Amino acid sequence: MQRTSKPQRLRARTFPSMGTVVSLTVASTAPAETAVDEVESAVEVVEGIFTQLDLTFSLYRAGSEASRLNRGELALASASDTMQELYSEASEWRLATEGAFTAERPDGGLDLSGIVKAHAMREAALSLRAIGLQNWCVNAGGDVLVSGSPDPGHRTPDTSEPWLAGIVDPLNRQALLGAFPLGSMSALATSGSAERGEHIWAVGSSRPEFAQVSVAASDIVTADVLATAIVAGGTSALDRAVEGWGVEVLAVRRDGTLLSTPGFREAA
Amino acid sequence: MRIRAALATAVASAGVLLAGWQSGAHIAETGTATTTSLSSTASSGNTGSTGNSGTTGKSGTSSGGGNTGSTTAATYDGTQVQTRFGTVQVRVTIQDGKITEVTPLQLTDAERKSAQISSRAAPILRSEVLQAQSANVQTVGGATVTSDAYLTSLQAALDAANF
C-alpha cells in the first residue's frame, strides 16, 4: 500500500453497510479544501441511502420490515412502496432469467438482499447527480457504478478517460485477473462463491460451474442480477444474458479457465 | 496415433487436476517455466513421471521416480502440437509430484476464430484479458467482500491511497 505519485484529484471515503464496505471516490477539479467538503457531503448522502435501505431490508434485524414480512406479521400488500417495488422487480427478474435469479430462499423465505444493494447504488447515483456531482465511482463490496471520468477537465467529456475497474482473480484475491473500462456500460457487478462461501445455490443440485462471474451493463441492477443468475445457471444462463441484454461477461470456471465476451478482451 | 495419445494425456491431466482441485491443493506459481515436450511424453507414455522434476524446474524427461517431497510448484509449458482441431499448447503446474493445474496456453484455431468473430462469450486465455495492475485502476470489482475481508483487499488499499 504505497503512496505513489498519484495526483490527489481522487478522494475516497468509506462506510460499512449491508455486511460489507462501501467506497465513494470523487474526481474533482476543485481546489483541495472545496474538494474535501465535496466528497464528505457526498458520502453522507450515499451513506444515508444505504443505511435507510439496510434498516428496511436487513434480515439480520428482527424488527426490520423484511423480517416482519418473512414472519408473516406484515402482508406484502400493506408493506412500504419500496418493499413492494423491489419485490415486484425481483419477481420480474426471476421470470426473465427463467428462475436463475430468485429472491426466494430454499426454505421459502423472501430475501431481497440480492437486489437491495444494487438498488441502493442506483439510488445513490440519482442523488449524486442531484447534488451536481458528475465524476464519481461507488464501489459496494466489489460491485461498481461510475459516472464521468477519474480525470475530468483534461479533455472534453466525449474523449475523457473512463474509470478503469480491476477485477479480482478469484484464485488469488491479491491479484487482478483483468480490467474493464467503464464507459457507456457504467456498471460492473461480480458474483461468486470465493468470498462468502457458496451463497448462491446452483439451479438443480450440481456445483456451480463458475467460480466468479463479472457482468458489465449500463445499469447496476441488471449487471448484479445477471451476474447472480449466471453463477446459478451456468453457461446456458450466460448465453441467455449475453443474447438477451447485450451485457459483457467475464466468467471464471472452477478450474481457472475463462469465458469472455469481447468487451473484457485486450484490444487487438 | 500421436494425436490420440496427446488427447489421452490431456484427459488424464484434467482428471488429476480435478482431484487436486477437490482436495484443495492450491498452487503458488513459483517455479521457473521450462519446456517439456508434450508430444514426446505422450508417445513414451510416462507423463506422470515428469512430476519428479518439480524441485529443480529442469525439463521433465527422466523416468519414473519418487523423489518428490518438495513443496515448490513448477510450471511446464508443453510444446505446440498440431492437431486436426488446430494448434494446441498446455501449461501444467506440478507440486509435490502431482499435476495441480492444467491451463491451455494456446487454443485451437477454431476456438480462437469463434472468439474473434462472435459477440458471445468464448473461451479465452488469461493473457487475452485486458490487463491492468492495481496501480493503474481506480476501483476493484469482485465477489462481495465481507467487512472483515475488505481490510486486506486491494480496494481498501486504493481507498486509503485516495483518502
Side-chain angles (χ1 to χ4, degrees):
Chain A
M1 201 197 298
Q2 59 185 14
R3 233 180 151 97
T4 56
S5 58
K6 185 179 284 186
Q8 272 296 310
R9 45 179 86 244
L10 291 184
R11 281 183 179 74
R13 292 294 184 273
T14 61
F15 60 89
S17 184
M18 301 184 182
T20 184
V21 173
V22 181
S23 313
L24 171 69
T25 308
V26 175
S28 179
T29 48
E33 315 80 60
T34 322
V36 167
D37 288 349
E38 200 173 65
V39 69
E40 288 186 344
S41 54
V43 78
E44 217 169 283
V45 169
V46 173
E47 184 169 6
I49 290 165
F50 273 81
T51 304
Q52 191 55 47
L53 285 167
D54 194 35
L55 281 172
T56 305
F57 288 94
S58 173
L59 293 175
Y60 296 100
R61 296 168 211 273
S64 75
E65 190 181 356
S67 294
R68 289 192 293 131
L69 199 62
N70 258 1
R71 286 195 303 266
E73 298 166 18
L74 178 73
L76 190 59
S78 352
S80 65
D81 288 351
T82 316
M83 181 66 75
Q84 293 189 11
E85 281 161 21
L86 276 187
Y87 180 83
S88 131
E89 193 172 1
S91 305
E92 282 162 22
W93 276 115
R94 182 183 181 161
L95 282 176
T97 61
E98 297 170 35
F101 173 88
T102 177
E104 251 167 53
R105 299 183 304 195
D107 66 6
L110 178 67
D111 186 357
L112 290 169
S113 58
I115 205 169
V116 168
K117 189 172 64 156
H119 173 68
M121 296 172 80
R122 176 172 64 186
E123 293 290 300
L126 289 176
S127 296
L128 289 172
R129 284 185 196 118
I131 61 174
L133 284 184
Q134 278 154 8
N135 300 287
W136 47 259
C137 168
V138 173
N139 185 320
D143 290 341
V144 181
L145 180 61
V146 307
S147 170
S149 163
D151 190 17
H154 270 203
R155 283 169 264 180
T156 61
D158 288 345
T159 61
S160 62
E161 170 199 351
W163 291 91
L164 185 63
I167 295 162
V168 161
D169 185 343
L171 306 182
N172 173 12
R173 300 191 62 83
Q174 293 304 308
L176 296 180
L177 181 65
F180 187 83
L182 291 152
S184 61
M185 287 192 176
S186 60
L188 175 71
T190 301
S191 284
S193 47
E195 192 70 41
R196 285 179 155 174
E198 301 192 357
H199 71 291
I200 295 172
W201 282 268
V203 175
S205 57
S206 56
R207 301 179 72 195
E209 185 179 344
F210 299 120
Q212 178 174 293
V213 174
S214 299
V215 174
S218 52
D219 84 282
I220 186 64
V221 174
T222 300
D224 193 45
V225 164
L226 292 180
T228 306
I230 294 168
V231 169
T235 307
S236 58
L238 191 162
D239 288 341
R240 281 201 301 275
V242 173
E243 282 161 19
W245 287 273
V247 293
E248 298 283 352
V249 180
L250 175 64
V252 186
R253 291 201 192 91
R254 302 193 74 88
D255 65 0
T257 59
L258 307 175
L259 274 181
S260 173
T261 54
F264 280 94
R265 294 163 62 102
E266 193 80 64
Chain B
M1 284 313 287
R2 175 174 282 193
I3 294 166
R4 184 171 290 180
L7 288 175
T9 306
V11 170
S13 302
V16 175
L17 164 68
L18 203 61
W21 184 267
Q22 285 172 341
S23 69
H26 233 295
I27 329 100
E29 258 190 47
T30 53
T32 48
T34 52
T35 302
T36 184
S37 166
L38 177 64
S39 50
S40 71
T41 51
S43 53
S44 66
N46 64 344
T47 331
S49 67
T50 56
N52 65 357
S53 60
T55 47
T56 60
K58 70 174 190 281
S59 183
T61 50
S62 56
S63 56
N67 64 335
T68 54
S70 164
T71 54
T72 49
T75 58
Y76 300 88
D77 294 351
T79 48
Q80 296 184 358
V81 177
Q82 303 296 324
T83 74
R84 66 190 173 97
F85 305 108
T87 310
V88 176
Q89 186 183 20
V90 297
R91 166 176 290 172
V92 295
T93 302
I94 294 171
Q95 188 160 24
D96 294 339
K98 285 181 190 160
I99 295 176
T100 53
E101 186 172 9
V102 179
T103 47
L105 282 180
Q106 189 160 341
L107 300 169
T108 65
D109 299 339
E111 280 175 308
R112 181 172 301 279
K113 194 169 186 185
S114 68
Q116 278 165 355
I117 59 174
S118 168
S119 65
R120 292 179 56 169
I124 67 166
L125 304 174
R126 289 196 161 222
S127 58
E128 291 177 295
V129 182
L130 175 62
Q131 300 292 310
Q133 304 297 316
S134 50
N136 51 31
V137 300
Q138 292 90 33
T139 192
V140 176
T144 303
V145 298
T146 60
S147 305
D148 288 346
Y150 169 82
L151 291 175
T152 55
S153 70
L154 292 172
Q155 180 64 35
L158 288 177
D159 290 337
N162 288 326
F163 189 84

